[in-house]
Amino acid sequence: MLTLAPVCGPEAAIARANPVAKLAAVAVLSTTALVAADWLTPLLLLAAIAVALPFTGIRPGPLARRLRWLWLAAGTVVLVNAVFAADHTGTLLFDAGPLRISTGSLLAGTAIGLRVCVAATAGVLVFATTDPTDLADALNQQLKTPPRFTLGALAALRLLPLLSAEWRHITTARRARGLEGGWNPLRRLRLFASTMFTLLVGAIRRAGRLAAAMDARGFDSGIPRTHARDQRMTPPDWALLAAAFLVSAAAVACSTALGVFTVVV
Amino acid sequence: MIKVEFRGFAWRHAGRRAQAVSDVDLRVEPGERVLLLGPSGSGKSTLLAALAGLLTADSGEQDGDVLLDGRPALELQPRVGILFQDPETQLVMARSGDDVAFGLENQAVPPDRIWPRVHRALDAVGFPYEPSRDTHALSGGEQQRLALAGVLARRPGLILLDEPTANLDPEGAEAIREALRSALADTEATMIVIEHRVADLLDLVDRVIALGPGGTLIADGPAEKVLAEHGDHLAAQGVWVPGAPVPRRPAPAPGDTALRGEGLTLVHPRADRPALDGVSFDLRAGELLAVTGPNGSGKSTLALLAGGLAAPTRGRATVPGEPRPLHRLPARRLATRVGSVFQDPEHQFVTATVRDELAFGPRQAGWPKDRVDARVSELLERLRLAPLAAANPHTLSGGEARRLSVAGALAAAPGVLLLDEPTFGQDRRTWGELVDLTADIRDEGTALLAVTHDRDFAAALATRELVLDAGRAREGEHR
Amino acid sequence: MPDSTLPAAPGRWRTVDILTCAVLAVAFGVVFWAWNFVWAGMEPVLKFLPPLAGVLYGLWLIPAVLAPLIVRRAGAGVLTEALAATVSALLGSFWGVFVVYQGLIQGLGGELAFAAGRYRRYDTAIAAASGALAALFATLFDVFVYYPNYDLWTYQVPYVAFAMVSGALVAGLGSKALVKAMLPTGVLDRFPAGRERARI
Ligand SMILES: Nc1ncnc2c1ncn2[C@@H]1O[C@H](COP(=O)(O)OP(=O)(O)OP(=O)(O)O)[C@@H](O)[C@H]1O
Ligand SMILES: Nc1ncnc2c1ncn2[C@@H]1O[C@H](COP(=O)(O)OP(=O)(O)OP(=O)(O)O)[C@@H](O)[C@H]1O
Ligand SMILES: [Mg+2]
Ligand SMILES: [Mg+2]
C-alpha cells in the first residue's frame, strides 16, 4: 500500500516545528550538498544531521527502516561513478578492460554517494514528519502562496489511497476479463498502459466532481479566506533555520580550509 | 429561507448539442421542502447545479433566468449549500473538523468563530467522533454525514441534496436520513432533494415535483396526491414509488455443482483477523446464491476468491473439469470458466467501443471470427445495447454500463458468473432490467453468485442465501 | 454560447483546472509506484547501463506534457510535475528535496515548448518538443547531481540523447495519444482539449 509508518509521534519536537521552516532548513542543507562536489562537505553535513537526530524526537527504528534501501541506492551511485569516471587518477584498484576503478574515481564516487545520503536523511526529516495539511497551511500563511493552488493540491492528495486502491481494482478486473501480464514484457507493457488509461480517466472524472464540491462551498468566491488553523514561525523555528545556515557555512568553511572544497560545474 | 424561481430556464452543457433542460418554469416558496423526481437524464442535477451557482459561463450556454430571492443565483452562492451523492469526492481535508471548517474559511468567517460553528454542525448531524478524526477512517455513511455538516455549518438559506443516499448501503442511508431529519428540524431553510427511493424521504418533504425528459413538468403537488395520480408513470420512469410491486422470478430446479469453494480463507498482511475465515459453499448451475452481511464482513473478498482473482491464504475454489484451483489458472482460461462483474463497471472496460468490448472475451478464448460475430450480435440484441454498438464504454449511463459489464463477462460463455453489488445505486427501471437479465441468465443454466445489500434483489432471484459475519459464514440461513 | 468562450489562452485558472492538474499528479504518483513493480529487478541493472536507462525516462515526464495538453494553461506543466515529485517525496523517495527540484526543473523544461507556442499550439510537434525538453532538463540535472564524473562522450551525451528521444516519444507522443483516447470518453468535455471532440 501507498502509506508509510510515521517515523515520530505527534509530540516530537520535529513534528511540531513549522513546516516551512523545516523545509527551508532541509533545502539549505541539501542544496549545499548539491553544490559541493568534494567528499568532505557532505560528510560534515551528514555528521551534523546525525548529531541533531536525538533532539528531533525521531524514532531510530522506523527511520532505519525508511532508509533501508538507501544503502543500496547510495552504494550503486558510488560504484557506477567509480566505474564510469572519465579519468582515473591515483592507483588503479581494479582493472578489467573497460571496467576500472582507481582511488581517485572511488573518492569522487563516494562524494556523490554522500550527497545522496544527505538528501535522503534530510528528506526524511522533513517529508516524513510533516502533515500535508500543516504544510499547506504554512505555505499559505508564511509564504503567501495562492491558497487555491495549495488547497487544491491538498484535496487531491487526499485521493491518493483511493487511487491506489483503484489501481488494484482495475488490475483485478483485467484478470477477470482474461488480461494478465505474465512474463511477456510486451504484454506487460500493454496491460500497464491500459490500466493507466483507465486510472487516468477515473482520476479526471473525480477531479471534476471534487472541484464542483469545493466550488459549491465557496472555494472560488474570490473573498480572501480566513485560516481556521494558525501556523506561525516561533523562535525555535527561526533557530532551526539559523542552525541550518550555520552548519552549511561551517561545513563549507571547514573543507575550504582543508583545501578539498570544490563546486559542481 | 430563500425563494427559488426558474423563468424560462434552459441549459446546454458545453460539448453537447442538445439542451439538458429547456423552458423550465418553477417556483419554490421560502421554507418549502421539495422532492424532485424524474427519469435519469431528465436534468434534475442540472437544475440543482444552476441553483448552487455551479453553471458558470464557461461550462455551457444558458437561456432564461435562475433567481434566488429575485437575484441571479450566482450572487447568492454563499447562502446555498449542496450535497452530492459521492461521499469520497466531496471531502476536501484530511481531518473531519478541518473539512467542515473549509467552507467557513472560504466565507471569511473570523477564525475565533469558526470552531464553535464546526462543533455545532458536527453535533447536528450526530457525527460520532472527535473533529480530529481522519476522514479516511470513516465509512461511506459517516463521510456523507460529515459532508452534510460541511453544508450546514455555512448556514445556508437553501439546502440542495442530489441523491444524498444513492451511494450508501442501507444502514448508512438510514443514518444520513436521521441526520437530515434532526438538522432540518432546526432550520427554516428552503430544501430541494432529488432521490429515486422516495419512500424513506416522504416525511421530510411537503411537495413533490416530477419532471419528464428535458425538464418538462409532469406533476406538482403534495406527495400523496402526486404519487397516487402518477405513481405508475413515475415507476415506469425509474422512481422507486412506495408500494409498487417487486417482481419475483422463481428458479427452476438447480443442476450440478458448477463452482465449489472449500474452506476459503484470506488473511491480509498485518490484519488482526482474517477478512474471510474458512467459508465453504457449493454453487450449482441454474441457481443464484445471494451473499449478504454487514459492511466489512468479507463479501467482496469471497467474490474475489471464488472468482480466482486473489490467492487464498488457505482453501481453494474449483470448477469441475479443472484440476487446478481457480487462482492458479492463467487469466485467459479463467475468463472462459468464471466471469466476474465488479461494483464499478468502468474498471472492466478494456476497449474503445461497446462492440469490441463484447467481442473481447470470445476473441481471447480463440473463437473463430463468425462465431464471435454471432455471439456479439446476439448479446447486443438481448441486452438492448445495439444502438450503442459504436459508443465508447466510458460514455454510457450507469444502467447501460452495468449491462455492458455483465454482457462482457458473459460473452465467452463461462458457466459461472459472480456479481458484486449489481444493483448498487441504480434507479427502479434499471433495477428491473437487471433483475430480468439476471433471471434469464440463471434460467439458461448459468450458476450465479451475487454479493448484495439489496433485500429486494435477493428476494426476487435468490434460491439460497449465504450470510457472512466478520468473515465467517453464519449457519442455517438457507432458504 | 459559441466555443470561443472556452478559454484557450492562459487566463484565470478555474477550480477544475487546478484540481485536474493536482489529481493527475497524484494519479501519476500511483502510476510510478506501480511501474516499479513492472520493472522490479530491472532498475539496478539499468543503473549500470546509463544510456539505456535514458530510454525508459519518458514515463516520468508524461505529467509534464499531459497536463498542459488537457488544461491548456500557463504553468500547468510545472505545477503538475512539481506536485507529482512532491507526492513521491511524501511517499518516501530517497532523493528528498532533490526530487522536488528535479520535478520543478523538468516541468519547466516541458513548459518551455508550450510557452514557445505562446500557449496557443497544442499539436503533436509541440507535445514532442515538450517531452524532449523536459527530458533534456531532467537528465542535465541528473548528470550534474548524480553522474558528474562520467565520461562526457561515451556516457553523458548518449544518456541525455536517449532520454530526449524517449521523452519525445513516450511523454510527447504518448501524452498526445492519451488525450486522443480520452476524447471519446467525455471526461475532457469541460476542457479546451474536449472541443476537438465532435458534439454529441
Ligand atoms: N458536465 C456535463 N457535460 C455534458 N453533459 C452533461 C453534463 N452533466 C449532465 N449532462 C447531460 O445533461 C443531461 C441531464 O443530466 P442531469 O445529470 O442533469 O440528469 P439527472 O436528471 O440528474 O439524471 P440522473 O438521475 O441520472 O442523475 C444528460 O443528458 C446528461 O448527459
Ligand atoms: N487490502 C486490504 N488490506 C487489509 N484489510 C483489508 C483489505 N481489503 C479488505 N480488508 C478488510 O477485509 C474485511 C472484508 O472486506 P470486504 O471488502 O470483503 O467486505 P465486504 O463485506 O465486501 O464489505 P462492504 O459491504 O463494505 O463492501 C474488512 O474488514 C476489510 O477492512
Ligand atoms: Mg443527477
Ligand atoms: Mg464489498
Side-chain angles (χ1 to χ4, degrees):
Chain A
M1 261 309 284
L2 271 175
T3 43
L4 296 166
V7 295
C8 65
E11 287 313 308
I14 186 118
R16 280 183 290 126
N18 183 297
V20 164
K22 249 191 295 188
L23 193 62
V26 165
V28 167
L29 295 177
S30 303
T31 309
T32 311
L34 186 81
V35 174
D38 61 303
W39 55 272
L40 184 59
T41 316
L43 192 63
L44 290 171
L45 292 174
L46 207 54
I49 294 176
V51 169
L53 266 183
F55 302 100
T56 59
I58 286 186
R59 291 193 282 261
L63 177 67
R65 231 165 293 137
R66 184 71 71 93
L67 292 175
R68 190 172 31 181
W69 299 107
L70 173 65
W71 313 120
L72 185 67
T76 321
V77 169
V78 173
L79 208 59
V80 288
N81 271 291
V83 171
F84 294 132
D87 30 51
H88 292 274
T89 51
T91 38
L92 268 189
L93 300 172
F94 178 81
D95 192 356
L99 294 184
R100 279 185 296 170
I101 299 178
S102 64
T103 44
S105 71
L106 192 61
L107 201 62
T110 308
I112 296 157
L114 285 170
R115 169 189 291 171
V116 171
C117 289
V118 172
T121 5
V124 173
L125 291 190
V126 52
F127 289 110
T129 61
T130 305
D131 182 275
T133 309
D134 296 343
L135 178 59
D137 285 339
L139 285 172
N140 289 341
Q141 292 171 42
Q142 267 76 56
L143 294 187
K144 310 282 179 228
T145 50
R148 291 178 73 219
F149 287 85
T150 38
L151 290 173
L154 187 64
L157 203 57
R158 228 189 64 82
L159 296 182
L160 183 65
L162 242 63
L163 290 174
S164 76
E166 190 138 317
W167 183 277
R168 269 184 292 123
H169 291 155
I170 299 171
T171 313
T172 326
R174 267 154 221 247
R175 172 162 157 82
R177 294 296 310 273
L179 277 178
E180 207 170 35
W183 288 109
N184 179 339
L186 213 67
R187 218 188 300 152
R188 262 170 103 144
L189 212 60
R190 279 236 306 275
L191 183 65
F192 181 84
S194 109
T195 310
M196 174 171 95
F197 175 75
T198 305
L199 183 85
L200 293 181
V201 167
I204 296 178
R205 206 163 268 157
R206 271 179 214 265
R209 266 186 271 155
L210 191 51
M214 290 171 80
D215 278 344
R217 286 203 266 163
F219 189 53
D220 196 15
S221 60
I223 312 170
R225 306 176 89 245
T226 48
H227 305 292
R229 297 165 302 280
D230 207 23
Q231 284 284 350
R232 55 182 79 228
M233 290 286 283
T234 57
D237 293 322
W238 289 113
L240 173 67
L241 206 54
F245 274 107
L246 277 178
V247 164
S248 298
V252 171
C254 195
S255 44
T256 312
L258 291 174
V260 288
F261 184 74
T262 48
V263 287
V264 78
V265 256
Chain B
M1 285 218 282
I2 290 183
K3 184 173 73 179
V4 175
E5 245 179 312
F6 286 98
R7 280 201 208 140
F9 175 72
W11 180 263
R12 184 179 63 74
H13 286 285
R16 291 298 171 106
R17 252 193 225 125
Q19 288 178 325
V21 291
S22 54
D23 287 327
V24 178
D25 285 292
L26 209 65
R27 262 175 82 106
V28 177
E29 299 305 327
E32 255 187 324
R33 307 279 155 92
V34 175
L35 172 64
L36 199 57
L37 295 178
S40 180
S42 57
K44 306 179 296 293
S45 300
T46 306
L47 291 184
L48 290 207
L51 293 175
L54 296 174
L55 299 184
T56 47
D58 54 13
S59 58
E61 179 188 332
Q62 177 177 338
D63 276 332
D65 299 300
V66 194
L67 302 174
L68 296 178
D69 281 347
R71 306 206 331 251
L74 276 171
E75 284 178 27
L76 252 73
Q77 205 269 344
R79 298 210 41 225
V80 182
I82 183 166
L83 186 68
F84 299 97
Q85 59 177 248
D86 181 12
E88 281 167 347
T89 45
Q90 281 183 85
L91 300 181
V92 176
M93 305 291 285
R95 289 180 292 243
S96 305
D98 294 355
D99 191 76
V100 179
F102 171 77
L104 301 176
E105 295 173 306
N106 291 335
Q107 241 170 352
V109 174
D112 55 322
R113 273 192 268 149
I114 288 181
W115 291 104
R117 277 172 76 169
V118 169
H119 290 292
R120 211 163 323 131
L122 287 174
D123 285 344
V125 299
F127 187 72
Y129 307 106
E130 289 294 299
S132 60
R133 177 87 169 184
D134 186 343
T135 49
H136 283 301
L138 302 175
S139 72
E142 288 162 353
Q143 286 182 338
Q144 193 69 335
R145 265 188 280 169
L146 179 61
L148 178 64
V151 168
L152 294 173
R154 282 165 55 88
R155 302 204 180 127
L158 171 62
I159 299 178
L160 306 170
L161 308 164
D162 193 346
E163 304 193 42
T165 63
N167 281 16
L168 305 178
D169 55 67
E171 294 88 58
E174 184 45 43
I176 192 87
R177 281 192 294 268
E178 200 47 55
L180 271 174
R181 261 176 218 119
S182 69
L184 287 174
D186 284 350
T187 155
E188 309 256 81
T190 314
M191 180 200 71
I192 306 180
V193 55
I194 301 175
E195 188 61 76
H196 288 301
R197 297 198 174 237
V198 300
D200 317 307
L201 275 182
L202 285 180
D203 61 321
L204 284 175
V205 300
D206 36 47
R207 178 177 165 199
V208 172
I209 298 176
L211 298 182
T216 48
L217 199 69
I218 292 184
D220 186 355
E224 304 78 46
K225 191 161 154 280
V226 170
L227 292 179
E229 285 172 13
H230 301 275
D232 294 345
H233 180 63
L234 290 171
Q237 299 272 20
V239 175
W240 289 89
V241 177
V246 174
R248 278 192 191 260
R249 301 282 305 252
D256 300 332
T257 296
L259 174 75
R260 172 170 288 149
E262 292 162 86
L264 289 173
T265 302
L266 186 75
V267 188
H268 287 289
R270 290 191 296 277
D272 47 358
R273 69 164 176 86
L276 197 68
D277 195 359
V279 175
S280 302
F281 64 92
D282 248 351
L283 188 61
R284 281 167 291 177
E287 76 163 350
L288 186 141
L289 175 65
V291 178
T292 59
N295 288 122
S297 55
K299 304 183 295 297
S300 299
T301 308
L302 177 67
L304 280 185
L305 296 184
L309 301 173
T313 314
R314 276 191 305 281
R316 49 196 255 136
T318 47
V319 294
E322 198 69 71
R324 282 179 290 178
L326 290 175
H327 70 272
R328 292 270 182 73
L329 290 188
R332 273 171 196 244
R333 189 161 180 83
L334 179 69
T336 62
R337 295 321 213 99
V338 182
S340 293
V341 180
F342 293 82
Q343 192 165 316
D344 189 343
E346 299 214 333
H347 290 163
Q348 289 189 274
F349 297 151
V350 292
T351 64
T353 68
V354 168
R355 178 180 294 280
D356 286 345
E357 200 60 31
L358 294 177
F360 182 81
R363 277 192 200 136
Q364 286 273 103
W367 293 15
K369 187 174 177 315
D370 44 344
R371 189 166 161 220
V372 173
D373 289 345
R375 179 71 174 163
V376 170
S377 309
E378 177 211 332
L379 285 169
L380 281 175
E381 282 311 318
R382 226 177 75 196
L383 297 164
R384 287 181 294 104
L385 292 169
L388 296 166
N392 186 295
H394 289 278
T395 58
L396 301 183
S397 75
E400 292 158 355
R402 170 57 74 200
R403 291 210 301 273
L404 178 60
S405 66
V406 172
L410 275 178
V416 183
L417 192 63
L418 310 174
L419 306 157
D420 197 350
E421 306 280 4
T423 55
F424 193 74
Q426 304 290 349
D427 67 16
R428 176 65 173 73
R429 191 162 76 182
T430 312
W431 186 87
E433 289 172 358
L434 280 171
V435 168
D436 288 340
L437 171 64
T438 317
D440 291 346
I441 297 167
R442 180 196 65 188
D443 297 349
E444 283 162 15
T446 305
L448 289 157
L449 181 148
V451 169
T452 188
H453 277 296
D454 183 347
R455 304 295 334 159
D456 292 337
F457 182 80
L461 293 165
T463 41
R464 288 187 295 141
E465 184 171 341
L466 176 65
V467 185
L468 292 181
D469 191 9
R472 290 167 187 272
R474 219 190 284 154
E475 294 300 324
E477 304 246 1
H478 289 191
R479 285 182 294 155
Chain C
M1 242 164 280
D3 280 335
S4 60
T5 55
L6 282 172
R12 181 182 154 76
W13 286 63
R14 300 173 299 167
T15 306
V16 63
D17 297 327
I18 299 175
L19 262 299
T20 302
C21 287
V23 174
L24 276 178
V26 174
F28 273 100
V30 176
V31 170
F32 298 156
W33 164 78
W35 177 249
N36 289 336
F37 293 98
V38 177
W39 294 105
M42 291 282 283
E43 282 292 3
V45 182
L46 285 171
K47 274 276 173 315
F48 284 93
L49 300 167
L52 212 61
V55 176
L56 292 176
Y57 220 100
L59 182 82
W60 274 272
L61 306 171
I62 296 181
V65 187
L66 183 63
L69 283 183
I70 292 176
V71 308
R72 301 195 174 174
R73 305 223 170 239
V78 179
L79 175 71
T80 310
E81 195 66 56
L83 207 59
T86 311
V87 169
S88 67
L90 286 168
L91 284 176
S93 155
F94 295 133
W95 317 116
V97 183
F98 290 178
V99 75
V100 180
Y101 291 171
Q102 179 145 28
L104 277 170
I105 285 174
Q106 66 202 29
L108 203 66
E111 192 79 33
L112 279 184
F114 294 107
R118 308 217 336 277
Y119 296 104
R120 297 253 157 76
R121 287 183 53 196
Y122 293 90
D123 49 33
T124 309
I126 293 271
S130 164
L133 281 173
L136 174 68
F137 277 51
T139 44
L140 283 182
F141 183 86
D142 280 351
V143 163
F144 279 115
V145 176
Y146 303 118
Y147 316 123
N149 303 334
Y150 282 23
D151 189 72
L152 181 67
W153 288 108
T154 45
Y155 291 105
Q156 291 182 341
V157 172
Y159 176 63
V160 174
F162 275 113
M164 283 180 74
V165 172
S166 162
L169 293 181
V170 179
L173 304 190
S175 298
K176 198 71 195 168
L178 270 174
V179 170
K180 192 161 162 248
M182 279 175 188
L183 276 183
T185 68
V187 289
L188 303 186
D189 283 359
R190 303 175 65 188
F191 300 98
R195 274 186 306 165
E196 284 156 21
R197 170 159 103 110
R199 285 207 188 158
I200 51 164

